[in-house]
Amino acid sequence: MKVKIDVAKKKLKEIYEQFNLDSETVEWLVELALDMDLEGNYFSGIGETPESLPDDMNPSLHETFEIDKPSLKFINGNGKDARLVIKDLVPEAVVWAREQGQIFIGFKNCGYHENLGTIARKFAEQNLLCIYSSNGGPQGVVPYGGTKDIFGTNPVAYGIPTSDVPIVFDAATAQRAYGTIKHARESQQPLPPETYFDKVGQYTTDPNEAVSLIPFGGYKGYAFNLLFDVLDGALVGSKSGRLVKTDSDLGAILLIIDPAAFGPIVEFKAQTDKLVQDIVSNPPAPGFSEVRVPGYRAHEHRAQQIKAGELEIDEAVWQKFMELHDKVVS
């Protein structure tokens, strides 16, 4: 169904304002939620709106820097929601990257990091190359050839500047996001075959039985899933593998590089522009209508919805959201 963007934004704000958060934080959380639906994300940001203030959004929580070097930062969230830690960090990280040429930031004790693609795009729009990854868990992904989960879904996003629309990628290093199990359960749809395992290690398409899934891309994808489990876990003082017990054990990394540190940004963009042109002009293979650049379909979907002033959202998700709104906002 279609909903006016202004209406969705207003309803979201009204809910978050009930939590007594400052206006900047409310605007930020609303932006992140809307962004998922504007880009046609598989999961609705609006659909994940909380009913009450989560403990990790308590205004009394403050992150601290355990390492604060010019090009290396290590942030302990002290239980603060990752989205709120990132909110204040983005403008500072832009400055750090431009001053040093690059900045590497590690995170721990911030819970699960979301909206990775949105953040990567924000940096790319400021002519910075960004790689952002978080370990997701506890567990959920089996090693290649195995049947018992060890790793998280370990999503990774990157943003690459061009002269026009940035190249943006955002995906789990599992074959599917773990949330697809919940989505299939709620929609009463079967899961794809030979992708998910039940608790005894047998393939299942039943979302009520599924507890884990395979990594993407066979043994090669598994190797990347393992790498990011270490980078997002053990490297930054969080946990990796089966040592992850709760969301507080999850970590993340954020790498921002200033291409201008290596030479004129115009020359860099000339090459990324050429890459985009070569990709979209590539003759489609049988069964394909076009060759796409990562992030471009989401950008087009977003632009079309903003132009129309309407958001396309699942009717059941919107109805559930409105019930939540009417309950919270009285």
Side-chain angles (χ1 to χ4, degrees):
M1 65 177 291
K2 294 187 182 296
V3 175
K4 294 290 185 183
I5 294 174
D6 288 345
V7 171
K9 185 174 182 178
K10 179 176 181 291
K11 299 294 184 184
L12 277 166
K13 285 184 66 174
E14 288 173 347
I15 291 175
Y16 279 111
E17 285 170 349
Q18 301 302 308
F19 302 159
N20 295 318
L21 298 169
D22 65 85
S23 58
E24 284 188 8
T25 298
V26 169
E27 291 286 346
W28 175 250
L29 294 172
V30 169
E31 177 188 351
L32 293 181
L34 275 176
D35 204 60
M36 295 182 70
D37 288 282
L38 283 171
E39 294 193 347
N41 194 293
Y42 188 81
F43 301 102
S44 168
I46 290 175
E48 296 300 315
T49 308
E51 181 176 335
S52 58
L53 180 70
D55 291 340
D56 57 8
M57 287 187 186
N58 190 311
S60 66
L61 297 174
H62 299 283
E63 66 272 30
T64 53
F65 284 76
E66 295 195 359
I67 298 176
D68 191 6
K69 296 181 179 179
S71 60
L72 177 66
K73 314 287 183 182
F74 182 28
I75 297 176
N76 185 337
N78 296 311
K80 184 176 178 179
D81 185 282
R83 290 169 294 178
L84 304 190
V85 174
I86 289 291
K87 176 181 79 70
D88 297 325
L89 190 69
V90 169
E92 292 184 299
V94 169
V95 175
W96 296 332
R98 287 181 176 152
E99 287 178 345
Q100 305 299 323
Q102 65 87 30
I103 182 73
F104 184 89
I105 306 171
F107 303 86
K108 72 174 183 179
N109 201 16
C110 303
Y112 183 70
H113 287 241
E114 303 178 68
N115 306 96
L116 274 63
T118 299
I119 304 304
R121 188 187 74 236
K122 285 183 176 294
F123 285 113
E125 289 173 342
Q126 299 192 63
N127 293 331
L128 298 170
L129 193 152
C130 171
I131 302 172
Y132 184 19
S133 178
S134 167
N135 58 359
Q139 293 78 57
V141 180
V142 304
Y144 179 72
T147 59
K148 296 295 183 183
D149 53 327
I150 296 177
F151 310 105
T153 53
N154 305 342
V156 59
Y158 64 72
I160 301 173
T162 74
S163 296
D164 189 13
V165 180
I167 302 167
V168 179
F169 175 80
D170 180 6
T173 52
Q175 181 69 15
R176 302 279 180 120
Y178 195 82
T180 52
I181 297 175
K182 177 184 175 184
H183 187 272
R185 188 183 303 129
E186 291 175 346
S187 60
Q188 299 183 333
Q189 296 293 319
L191 295 164
E194 298 187 355
T195 302
Y196 298 83
F197 290 98
D198 61 21
K199 62 183 179 181
V200 296
Q202 297 295 316
Y203 281 123
T204 182
T205 59
D206 184 349
N208 295 305
E209 298 294 330
V211 296
S212 61
L213 70 160
I214 62 174
F216 86 102
Y219 67 90
K220 295 180 181 179
Y222 152 59
F224 277 103
N225 176 263
L226 188 158
L227 170 64
F228 283 107
D229 210 82
V230 173
L231 292 177
D232 300 325
L235 178 68
V236 294
S238 292
K239 300 292 195 302
S240 293
R242 287 182 174 155
L243 293 176
V244 178
K245 304 300 182 184
T246 68
D247 283 358
S248 63
D249 293 328
L250 302 176
I253 59 167
L254 177 61
L255 173 62
I256 308 160
I257 303 170
D258 184 4
F262 294 88
I265 189 65
V266 193
E267 295 180 7
F268 175 85
K269 286 184 174 182
Q271 292 212 40
T272 55
D273 291 348
K274 181 67 165 57
L275 278 173
V276 170
Q277 293 166 5
D278 288 346
I279 291 168
V280 299
S281 63
N282 200 286
F288 291 83
S289 60
E290 61 180 329
V291 183
R292 294 177 174 148
V293 178
Y296 274 42
R297 180 169 60 176
H299 170 80
E300 291 168 6
H301 190 80
R302 176 190 179 89
Q304 289 170 1
Q305 294 199 96
I306 291 175
K307 183 178 180 180
E310 292 183 325
L311 191 69
E312 183 67 39
I313 188 168
D314 183 87
E315 185 173 358
V317 170
W318 182 253
Q319 288 179 349
K320 183 179 178 182
F321 170 74
M322 285 305 300
E323 289 172 3
L324 171 65
H325 172 274
D326 293 344
K327 182 179 179 180
V328 173
V329 181
S330 54

